Amino acid sequence: MRTVDFCLLTVTLILCTDSIAQAQQTRPQGMPRVVHRVPIFVRPTVMQTFAMPGVAIFNGETLDGWTTVSGSTDIKAWEAVDGTLHRKSGGGDIVTEQEYENFILDFEWKISPGGNSGVKYKFANFDGSWLGCEYQVIDDETHSDGMLKTHRTASLYDVIAPRVEAAKPIGEYNKSRVVVNGKRIQHYLNGKLTVDVIVGSPEWEKGFQASKFRDHEEFGKIAQGKILVQDHGDEVWYKNMVVRELKTMPVRKAGPLQRLGLGGLFR
């Protein structure tokens, strides 16, 4: 409530209280106490989601903040070179040390000819299997996986096919975005929305039941998890990887005060 609104309400209550106190002094003995109802006004409150300041999950110089899936900091497959996170040789996937719940993840990437990789999120251990939703990164035209719609670039791998195709030629950097906000998941590629799905919706369930993840009922439904970059045996480069966490907070709406109810004052 703004200061001026609070002051007006305070003055009103003081005046009412003074009037009641005066009436109380002149009330004849035996007269019943009377309840005076004073309207209470407030500004309505709504919940709004805000993106927090961006935090780089790859600093461009070191692999600080990353581990192997098993938790080791002895990373052999990846290197920081020329501001990029580069998969140089075999050695496995790497994950962030931190877990994320609701967020916007922006990153840039390029893949080698015939290459395959991906960025996973909500990554966790499901009954002994490490799994996560995946933003597919692949050479659609050369890699055999590109023949499957749910395996093409910017798909939610094996679950939701991309709505549009917007990948740049092999060798050029692409700009990607993943948005996770509650049950809603969105993928973007070079500014175009490729996936927009609600976890648990009929669209989700159809894709999920047809996927390799169908035996893991909590897949995609967990609240938070790590972010992973995938070593699929091919060269790939990532850079400018920035996370903005989403926070939902109560905010008072602008506009006139709304009547909440009546408060009682007695005499």
Side-chain angles (χ1 to χ4, degrees), residues 60-94:
E61 298 179 354
T62 70
L63 299 183
D64 292 349
W66 294 85
T67 71
T68 65
V69 174
S70 64
S72 172
T73 56
D74 184 19
I75 298 172
K76 301 185 182 301
W78 300 82
E79 63 179 349
V81 56
D82 298 329
T84 70
L85 180 60
H86 173 229
R87 189 273 181 190
K88 61 178 180 177
S89 61
D93 307 331
I94 56 174

Short mmCIF file of all heavy atoms in Angstrom, two decimals, residues 60-94:
data_model
loop_
_atom_site.label_atom_id
_atom_site.label_comp_id
_atom_site.label_asym_id
_atom_site.label_seq_id
_atom_site.Cartn_x
_atom_site.Cartn_y
_atom_site.Cartn_z
N GLY A 60 34.21 -19.13 -19.94
CA GLY A 60 34.99 -18.91 -21.15
C GLY A 60 36.47 -19.18 -21.00
O GLY A 60 37.20 -19.18 -22.00
N GLU A 61 36.93 -19.44 -19.75
CA GLU A 61 38.37 -19.63 -19.53
C GLU A 61 38.71 -20.93 -18.83
O GLU A 61 39.78 -21.49 -19.07
CB GLU A 61 38.90 -18.45 -18.70
CG GLU A 61 38.75 -17.11 -19.39
CD GLU A 61 39.27 -15.95 -18.55
OE1 GLU A 61 39.62 -16.21 -17.37
OE2 GLU A 61 39.30 -14.82 -19.04
N THR A 62 37.82 -21.38 -17.94
CA THR A 62 38.09 -22.61 -17.19
C THR A 62 36.83 -23.45 -17.15
O THR A 62 35.75 -23.02 -17.58
CB THR A 62 38.53 -22.30 -15.74
OG1 THR A 62 37.40 -21.78 -15.02
CG2 THR A 62 39.67 -21.29 -15.71
N LEU A 63 36.95 -24.66 -16.58
CA LEU A 63 35.79 -25.54 -16.41
C LEU A 63 35.29 -25.49 -14.97
O LEU A 63 34.63 -26.43 -14.51
CB LEU A 63 36.16 -26.97 -16.80
CG LEU A 63 36.60 -27.16 -18.26
CD1 LEU A 63 36.87 -28.63 -18.55
CD2 LEU A 63 35.56 -26.61 -19.21
N ASP A 64 35.56 -24.39 -14.28
CA ASP A 64 35.05 -24.20 -12.93
C ASP A 64 33.53 -24.27 -12.93
O ASP A 64 32.87 -23.67 -13.80
CB ASP A 64 35.49 -22.85 -12.36
CG ASP A 64 36.99 -22.78 -12.09
OD1 ASP A 64 37.65 -23.84 -12.15
OD2 ASP A 64 37.50 -21.67 -11.85
N GLY A 65 32.97 -25.00 -11.97
CA GLY A 65 31.53 -25.13 -11.88
C GLY A 65 30.97 -26.33 -12.62
O GLY A 65 29.77 -26.57 -12.59
N TRP A 66 31.86 -27.10 -13.27
CA TRP A 66 31.45 -28.29 -14.01
C TRP A 66 32.13 -29.54 -13.46
O TRP A 66 33.26 -29.47 -12.96
CB TRP A 66 31.81 -28.16 -15.49
CG TRP A 66 31.07 -27.08 -16.20
CD1 TRP A 66 31.41 -25.75 -16.24
CD2 TRP A 66 29.86 -27.21 -16.96
NE1 TRP A 66 30.48 -25.05 -16.98
CE2 TRP A 66 29.53 -25.92 -17.44
CE3 TRP A 66 29.05 -28.30 -17.28
CZ2 TRP A 66 28.40 -25.69 -18.23
CZ3 TRP A 66 27.93 -28.06 -18.07
CH2 TRP A 66 27.61 -26.77 -18.53
N THR A 67 31.45 -30.67 -13.54
CA THR A 67 32.03 -31.95 -13.15
C THR A 67 31.59 -33.01 -14.15
O THR A 67 30.73 -32.77 -15.00
CB THR A 67 31.56 -32.40 -11.75
OG1 THR A 67 30.16 -32.78 -11.81
CG2 THR A 67 31.75 -31.29 -10.72
N THR A 68 32.15 -34.19 -14.03
CA THR A 68 31.61 -35.33 -14.75
C THR A 68 30.29 -35.72 -14.08
O THR A 68 29.96 -35.23 -12.99
CB THR A 68 32.57 -36.52 -14.70
OG1 THR A 68 32.69 -36.97 -13.34
CG2 THR A 68 33.95 -36.14 -15.24
N VAL A 69 29.53 -36.59 -14.72
CA VAL A 69 28.25 -37.01 -14.15
C VAL A 69 28.46 -37.66 -12.79
O VAL A 69 27.63 -37.54 -11.89
CB VAL A 69 27.51 -37.96 -15.12
CG1 VAL A 69 26.25 -38.53 -14.48
CG2 VAL A 69 27.16 -37.23 -16.41
N SER A 70 29.58 -38.34 -12.62
CA SER A 70 29.88 -39.01 -11.35
C SER A 70 30.36 -38.03 -10.28
O SER A 70 30.55 -38.42 -9.13
CB SER A 70 30.93 -40.10 -11.56
OG SER A 70 32.16 -39.53 -11.98
N GLY A 71 30.60 -36.77 -10.65
CA GLY A 71 31.00 -35.76 -9.68
C GLY A 71 32.47 -35.43 -9.66
O GLY A 71 32.91 -34.61 -8.84
N SER A 72 33.25 -36.01 -10.56
CA SER A 72 34.69 -35.75 -10.59
C SER A 72 35.00 -34.44 -11.31
O SER A 72 34.36 -34.08 -12.30
CB SER A 72 35.42 -36.90 -11.30
OG SER A 72 36.79 -36.59 -11.49
N THR A 73 36.01 -33.73 -10.82
CA THR A 73 36.47 -32.52 -11.50
C THR A 73 37.62 -32.82 -12.47
O THR A 73 38.15 -31.91 -13.11
CB THR A 73 36.94 -31.48 -10.47
OG1 THR A 73 37.95 -32.06 -9.63
CG2 THR A 73 35.78 -31.00 -9.60
N ASP A 74 37.97 -34.10 -12.60
CA ASP A 74 39.00 -34.52 -13.55
C ASP A 74 38.34 -34.73 -14.91
O ASP A 74 37.93 -35.83 -15.27
CB ASP A 74 39.67 -35.81 -13.07
CG ASP A 74 40.82 -36.24 -13.98
OD1 ASP A 74 41.32 -35.38 -14.74
OD2 ASP A 74 41.20 -37.43 -13.94
N ILE A 75 38.20 -33.64 -15.67
CA ILE A 75 37.48 -33.65 -16.94
C ILE A 75 38.46 -33.79 -18.09
O ILE A 75 39.37 -32.97 -18.25
CB ILE A 75 36.65 -32.36 -17.08
CG1 ILE A 75 35.60 -32.28 -15.97
CG2 ILE A 75 35.99 -32.29 -18.45
CD1 ILE A 75 34.86 -30.97 -15.91
N LYS A 76 38.29 -34.82 -18.89
CA LYS A 76 39.23 -35.11 -19.97
C LYS A 76 38.66 -34.80 -21.35
O LYS A 76 39.40 -34.51 -22.29
CB LYS A 76 39.66 -36.57 -19.91
CG LYS A 76 40.34 -36.96 -18.59
CD LYS A 76 40.85 -38.39 -18.63
CE LYS A 76 41.49 -38.78 -17.30
NZ LYS A 76 42.63 -37.91 -16.93
N ALA A 77 37.33 -34.88 -21.51
CA ALA A 77 36.74 -34.77 -22.85
C ALA A 77 36.59 -33.32 -23.31
O ALA A 77 36.52 -33.06 -24.51
CB ALA A 77 35.37 -35.45 -22.87
N TRP A 78 36.56 -32.38 -22.37
CA TRP A 78 36.24 -31.01 -22.70
C TRP A 78 37.37 -30.07 -22.31
O TRP A 78 38.13 -30.34 -21.39
CB TRP A 78 34.95 -30.59 -21.99
CG TRP A 78 33.77 -31.42 -22.37
CD1 TRP A 78 33.43 -32.65 -21.86
CD2 TRP A 78 32.79 -31.11 -23.35
NE1 TRP A 78 32.29 -33.11 -22.46
CE2 TRP A 78 31.86 -32.19 -23.38
CE3 TRP A 78 32.58 -30.02 -24.20
CZ2 TRP A 78 30.76 -32.21 -24.23
CZ3 TRP A 78 31.47 -30.03 -25.04
CH2 TRP A 78 30.58 -31.11 -25.05
N GLU A 79 37.42 -28.93 -23.01
CA GLU A 79 38.41 -27.91 -22.71
C GLU A 79 37.82 -26.53 -22.94
O GLU A 79 36.86 -26.37 -23.71
CB GLU A 79 39.65 -28.09 -23.57
CG GLU A 79 39.38 -27.90 -25.07
CD GLU A 79 40.61 -28.03 -25.93
OE1 GLU A 79 41.72 -28.07 -25.37
OE2 GLU A 79 40.47 -28.10 -27.17
N ALA A 80 38.37 -25.55 -22.24
CA ALA A 80 38.02 -24.16 -22.48
C ALA A 80 39.08 -23.59 -23.41
O ALA A 80 40.27 -23.55 -23.06
CB ALA A 80 37.98 -23.39 -21.17
N VAL A 81 38.67 -23.17 -24.60
CA VAL A 81 39.62 -22.66 -25.58
C VAL A 81 38.97 -21.54 -26.39
O VAL A 81 37.85 -21.69 -26.88
CB VAL A 81 40.13 -23.78 -26.52
CG1 VAL A 81 38.99 -24.49 -27.22
CG2 VAL A 81 41.15 -23.25 -27.50
N ASP A 82 39.66 -20.40 -26.45
CA ASP A 82 39.17 -19.24 -27.22
C ASP A 82 37.74 -18.86 -26.84
O ASP A 82 36.93 -18.51 -27.70
CB ASP A 82 39.25 -19.52 -28.73
CG ASP A 82 40.68 -19.76 -29.20
OD1 ASP A 82 41.60 -19.16 -28.61
OD2 ASP A 82 40.87 -20.55 -30.15
N GLY A 83 37.43 -18.94 -25.55
CA GLY A 83 36.11 -18.55 -25.08
C GLY A 83 35.02 -19.55 -25.32
O GLY A 83 33.84 -19.27 -25.09
N THR A 84 35.39 -20.76 -25.78
CA THR A 84 34.38 -21.78 -26.05
C THR A 84 34.59 -23.00 -25.17
O THR A 84 35.70 -23.28 -24.70
CB THR A 84 34.43 -22.25 -27.53
OG1 THR A 84 35.63 -23.01 -27.75
CG2 THR A 84 34.36 -21.08 -28.48
N LEU A 85 33.50 -23.72 -24.96
CA LEU A 85 33.54 -25.03 -24.30
C LEU A 85 33.57 -26.06 -25.42
O LEU A 85 32.58 -26.26 -26.13
CB LEU A 85 32.30 -25.20 -23.43
CG LEU A 85 32.15 -26.51 -22.65
CD1 LEU A 85 33.32 -26.71 -21.69
CD2 LEU A 85 30.84 -26.54 -21.89
N HIS A 86 34.73 -26.71 -25.59
CA HIS A 86 34.99 -27.53 -26.76
C HIS A 86 35.11 -29.00 -26.37
O HIS A 86 35.90 -29.35 -25.49
CB HIS A 86 36.28 -27.05 -27.44
CG HIS A 86 36.74 -27.92 -28.56
ND1 HIS A 86 38.04 -28.36 -28.68
CD2 HIS A 86 36.06 -28.45 -29.63
CE1 HIS A 86 38.16 -29.11 -29.76
NE2 HIS A 86 36.98 -29.17 -30.35
N ARG A 87 34.36 -29.84 -27.04
CA ARG A 87 34.52 -31.29 -26.86
C ARG A 87 35.67 -31.72 -27.76
O ARG A 87 35.56 -31.72 -28.99
CB ARG A 87 33.22 -32.01 -27.23
CG ARG A 87 33.22 -33.51 -26.87
CD ARG A 87 33.81 -34.33 -27.99
NE ARG A 87 33.80 -35.76 -27.70
CZ ARG A 87 34.43 -36.67 -28.43
NH1 ARG A 87 35.14 -36.31 -29.48
NH2 ARG A 87 34.37 -37.95 -28.12
N LYS A 88 36.79 -32.09 -27.13
CA LYS A 88 38.01 -32.36 -27.90
C LYS A 88 38.26 -33.84 -28.12
O LYS A 88 38.88 -34.24 -29.10
CB LYS A 88 39.21 -31.76 -27.19
CG LYS A 88 39.46 -32.32 -25.78
CD LYS A 88 40.70 -31.73 -25.14
CE LYS A 88 40.91 -32.32 -23.74
NZ LYS A 88 42.15 -31.83 -23.12
N SER A 89 37.80 -34.70 -27.18
CA SER A 89 38.07 -36.14 -27.29
C SER A 89 37.09 -36.90 -26.43
O SER A 89 36.32 -36.31 -25.67
CB SER A 89 39.50 -36.44 -26.83
OG SER A 89 39.67 -36.07 -25.47
N GLY A 90 37.11 -38.22 -26.51
CA GLY A 90 36.21 -39.04 -25.72
C GLY A 90 36.46 -38.88 -24.23
O GLY A 90 37.59 -38.67 -23.80
N GLY A 91 35.41 -38.97 -23.45
CA GLY A 91 35.59 -38.84 -22.02
C GLY A 91 34.31 -38.62 -21.25
O GLY A 91 34.32 -38.61 -20.03
N GLY A 92 33.21 -38.41 -21.95
CA GLY A 92 31.93 -38.35 -21.27
C GLY A 92 31.31 -36.97 -21.15
O GLY A 92 31.93 -35.94 -21.45
N ASP A 93 30.06 -36.97 -20.72
CA ASP A 93 29.29 -35.75 -20.51
C ASP A 93 29.81 -34.99 -19.29
O ASP A 93 30.44 -35.57 -18.40
CB ASP A 93 27.81 -36.08 -20.28
CG ASP A 93 27.24 -36.96 -21.38
OD1 ASP A 93 27.72 -36.88 -22.52
OD2 ASP A 93 26.29 -37.73 -21.09
N ILE A 94 29.49 -33.69 -19.24
CA ILE A 94 29.77 -32.91 -18.05
C ILE A 94 28.50 -32.17 -17.62
O ILE A 94 27.63 -31.87 -18.45
CB ILE A 94 30.93 -31.91 -18.26
CG1 ILE A 94 30.66 -30.97 -19.45
CG2 ILE A 94 32.23 -32.65 -18.43
CD1 ILE A 94 31.70 -29.87 -19.60
#
